[in-house]
Amino acid sequence: MSDPQIDAHGRLRHLLTLDGLGRPRLTALLDRAAALREAARAGHLPALLAGRTVVNLFFEPSTRTRTSFELAARRLGALVVNFDIASSSTSKGETLEDTLATLEAMDSDAFVVRHKENGTPARLAAHARRAAVLNAGDGNRAHPTQGLLDLLTIRDHKGRIDGLTVTICGDVKHSRVARSDVHGLAALGAGDIRLCGPSALLPAATEFPGCAVGDDFDAAIAGADVVIMLRMQKERMETLPGLDEADYFARYGLDRARLARARPEAIVMHPGPMNRGIEIAPEVADGAQSVILAQVANGIFARMAVLAELLQH
Ligand code: CP
């Protein structure tokens, strides 16, 4: 079966998932993001997207992803429309496909889509006639640009992905970030990927072949190069697991004592939004090993790279 995000010439047509993109394409996107960052720092960002129109279609809340897609597109010269779902005709029963076709008829070149239902960006991509669709997070399935910015941040700080030990802790079961991170880390050769959390918030081990899955954070963090903390995604849970926040922090929170079990030069990451005092202690979130704000900054360049790759032809 053909890959819906690759066109007949082998070019990236949409960005729906990191799954199956492969090392050369991922590396090229990271290199392009780093080059755009250098250009921005030198004050020479090229207007690669001049004349293009990018539409943000966010059906779920967002701070980081929506803002950084907008800044990325604007700084490369595109016109950006932040589609207001609440006041749109979707509330009168218009289908998402008809909404997309309507906006595409207005010469929109790209749609950045976030939705609570798995597969919505792929569904819209199948319907798009000319425009590119970029997945900004669908359900618990994929958040590919978060995966890219996480890979870029790890590569910046560790110089490589190959052979690293990466611990991802928290609500892995409901996390699209964990899935995209694992797809990217595995493709780029991370040596030991450990998924950890309370058993009620862990995925089936069969979903993550090659990863260690367990509920003992002290064991999972031992010797890690990279520690990625996740929040509990209550909005995606059918029933709350009945975890007391203080108990959760005691077993799965990242404080200084627990971080000391990782390698001394380990970096701490979090995709945000953070729940301080639940999955991460403030002194760790703001501490010397935290690269959380570097992740945010890299989000702009990862998104620039993807937009340029999809629209510059
Ligand atoms: N990491 C992330 O997706 O954050 P937002 O929900 O704020 O976009």
Side-chain angles (χ1 to χ4, degrees), residues 47-105:
L48 299 176
L49 302 184
R52 300 297 198 152
T53 300
V54 175
V55 181
N56 273 332
L57 278 176
F58 278 64
F59 295 87
E60 272 192 339
S62 169
T63 294
R64 283 145 285 267
T65 311
R66 179 170 142 156
T67 309
S68 62
F69 260 116
E70 178 169 357
L71 290 174
R74 281 193 198 283
R75 289 177 186 171
L76 291 181
L79 189 67
V80 176
V81 176
N82 285 309
F83 186 73
D84 183 1
I85 309 289
S87 65
S88 76
S89 289
T90 55
S91 61
K92 300 179 201 163
E94 185 168 74
T95 65
L96 294 189
E97 284 84 350
D98 281 339
T99 300
L100 180 116
T102 301
L103 295 169
E104 203 176 12

Side-chain angles (χ1 to χ4, degrees), residues 37 41 146 149-150 152-154 156-157 267-270 285 289-301:
R37 184 173 59 195
R41 286 177 181 163
Q146 179 73 44
L149 75 89
D150 286 350
L152 181 61
T153 307
I154 295 170
D156 286 345
H157 287 84
I267 56 171
V268 174
M269 302 174 67
H270 194 305
Q289 288 168 266
S290 170
V291 297
I292 293 169
L293 292 179
Q295 289 174 267
V296 174
N298 277 338
I300 296 193
F301 302 108

Side-chain angles (χ1 to χ4, degrees), residues 44-304:
H44 297 304
L45 258 183
L48 299 176
L49 302 184
R52 300 297 198 152
T53 300
V54 175
V55 181
N56 273 332
L57 278 176
F58 278 64
F59 295 87
E60 272 192 339
S62 169
T63 294
R64 283 145 285 267
T65 311
R66 179 170 142 156
T67 309
S68 62
F69 260 116
E70 178 169 357
L71 290 174
R74 281 193 198 283
R75 289 177 186 171
L76 291 181
L79 189 67
V80 176
V81 176
N82 285 309
F83 186 73
D84 183 1
I85 309 289
S87 65
S88 76
S89 289
T90 55
S91 61
K92 300 179 201 163
E94 185 168 74
T95 65
L96 294 189
E97 284 84 350
D98 281 339
T99 300
L100 180 116
T102 301
L103 295 169
E104 203 176 12
M106 298 178 193
D107 284 338
S108 301
D109 297 293
F111 294 93
V112 180
V113 180
R114 171 170 286 192
H115 202 281
K116 68 178 183 182
E117 300 292 342
N118 286 359
T120 299
R123 205 179 97 204
L124 292 177
H127 200 76
R129 285 187 295 184
R130 188 186 55 80
V133 173
L134 295 86
N135 183 358
D138 63 327
N140 69 359
R141 188 175 196 173
H143 194 347
T145 55
Q146 179 73 44
L148 285 172
L149 75 89
D150 286 350
L151 294 170
L152 181 61
T153 307
I154 295 170
R155 200 178 75 165
D156 286 345
H157 287 84
K158 295 286 156 203
R160 69 188 204 286
I161 308 288
D162 275 300
L164 292 179
T165 296
V166 181
T167 300
I168 303 177
C169 180
D171 179 8
V172 180
K173 181 175 178 175
H174 298 99
S175 176
R176 53 198 179 206
V177 175
R179 286 171 175 79
S180 286
D181 281 353
V182 168
H183 289 144
L185 288 165
L188 295 185
D192 185 0
I193 305 173
R194 305 168 181 173
L195 308 178
C196 176
S199 53
L201 299 180
L202 283 176
T206 49
E207 195 193 338
F208 291 93
C211 297
V213 179
D215 66 359
D216 182 344
F217 190 21
D218 287 326
I221 198 172
D225 297 293
V226 177
V227 184
I228 302 175
M229 300 304 294
L230 303 172
R231 80 181 165 91
M232 267 193 267
Q233 310 206 18
K234 294 179 181 166
E235 70 276 21
R236 270 180 256 295
M237 296 179 189
E238 282 163 20
T239 53
L240 291 175
L243 295 165
D244 172 78
E245 288 180 356
D247 287 349
Y248 184 87
F249 184 73
R251 286 196 64 191
Y252 298 103
L254 185 62
D255 58 11
R256 279 203 190 111
R258 202 165 255 136
L259 181 56
R261 299 176 66 83
R263 293 176 72 87
E265 66 282 14
I267 56 171
V268 174
M269 302 174 67
H270 194 305
M274 281 187 282
N275 291 134
R276 290 169 181 260
I278 299 178
E279 72 267 9
I280 190 164
E283 65 268 22
V284 173
D286 303 326
Q289 288 168 266
S290 170
V291 297
I292 293 169
L293 292 179
Q295 289 174 267
V296 174
N298 277 338
I300 296 193
F301 302 108
R303 287 165 182 133
M304 279 182 180

